[in-house]
Amino acid sequence: MTGVAATQLRVPYIIAHADEAAPQPLSFVRKPFGGLRLTYGDPRRGDTVNGVLRARVLNTRQGAPQWRMLNTLRQWRCMTKNLCQVCGKIATDPETGRIPWITTATAFREIPEISTSGYTSAPATCAACIPESLSMCPQLHVSSAVWTVSTATPAAVLADMFRPDPAGRAVHTGEHNVFVGLDERDLLRSALATQLVVRIQDMQPAPHLAGTP
Ligand SMILES: [Zn+2]
């Protein structure tokens, strides 16, 4: 930790840093059984996760924080391991086995007729980090609720969408943060995932975690 900013404001674990940007040499290739699929020209281990092509980023936390951007690798890691998006440690309460979660209007999608479950692109926040999170993030003041949940299961991604040009090069369609279900095979062929979306289950209100009596 160096500098005045670091002592005043902790940079959350999932926030992207300027020097973590990586080249994205994308193209379309024709797969067996027909059909074009978005891929990297130099495929590497870890490019494809949950059957989805994932945007490449470094995981160094070097460079200025990009407050409006998430680091894809760390966001994904939080979602699959139930880590806290602020401190990066396990968010699950060791006594109850339940996971504390803040939901916001922008990062939460309801499931009609199932009020205790929903889709979210915002990872868990551990109990220790919740008060800080609520006090520091202006967006959370506007529309947030604190819950505990029983499970979080990968269900979809937010993706940038691409189309092939006549030479097979990948052209961004201009669409960002498109919600694509992990079962939407056709759409996934043209998607570069930047965030993993989970379905959280058995949501129970937990206002005591927010410091509210
Ligand atoms: Zn935490």
Side-chain angles (χ1 to χ4, degrees):
M1 299 285 277
T2 54
V4 176
T7 54
Q8 287 178 344
L9 203 57
R10 181 160 57 143
V11 180
Y13 178 69
I14 56 166
I15 293 293
H17 291 253
D19 296 352
E20 293 182 317
Q24 312 283 337
L26 294 163
S27 61
F28 276 86
V29 292
R30 191 166 293 283
K31 288 292 191 186
F33 309 110
L36 290 168
R37 165 139 204 158
L38 187 66
T39 185
Y40 281 108
D42 56 342
R44 293 181 203 160
R45 244 178 99 234
D47 282 342
T48 304
V49 193
N50 301 99
V52 179
L53 190 68
R54 183 170 67 175
R56 286 180 181 172
V57 290
L58 303 180
N59 183 20
T60 59
R61 303 187 81 181
Q62 298 292 308
Q66 310 289 289
W67 290 98
R68 300 180 68 83
M69 284 180 61
L70 303 184
N71 177 285
T72 297
L73 278 178
R74 291 194 294 278
Q75 191 270 352
W76 215 279
R77 195 157 179 266
C78 282
M79 288 303 209
T80 52
K81 297 177 184 290
N82 293 330
L83 304 183
C84 170
Q85 61 170 290
V86 180
C87 68
K89 295 175 185 156
I90 301 263
T92 311
D93 182 326
E95 286 182 15
T96 62
R98 295 185 61 83
I99 314 158
W101 218 289
I102 299 173
T103 59
T104 64
T106 50
F108 184 74
R109 180 188 281 203
E110 291 180 5
I111 298 173
E113 294 166 23
I114 310 178
S115 61
T116 58
S117 182
Y119 298 108
T120 181
S121 59
T125 306
C126 77
C129 291
I130 284 176
E132 178 185 334
S133 213
L134 292 175
S135 68
M136 282 186 147
C137 183
Q139 193 187 342
L140 294 183
H141 270 298
V142 179
S143 63
S144 66
V146 181
W147 316 84
T148 65
V149 311
S150 61
T151 56
T153 314
V157 293
L158 299 185
D160 293 350
M161 302 305 292
F162 288 81
R163 61 176 171 77
D165 76 1
R169 286 182 296 247
V171 180
H172 187 222
T173 64
E175 298 167 284
H176 293 284
N177 291 333
V178 177
F179 186 103
V180 184
L182 293 180
D183 56 355
E184 295 187 82
R185 292 278 146 210
D186 283 347
L187 272 178
L188 287 175
R189 290 169 163 275
S190 310
L192 181 68
T194 55
Q195 295 181 47
L196 183 63
V197 173
V198 293
R199 179 172 175 172
I200 50 179
Q201 310 254 34
D202 185 24
M203 299 165 65
Q204 295 177 9
H208 59 285
L209 292 177
T212 316

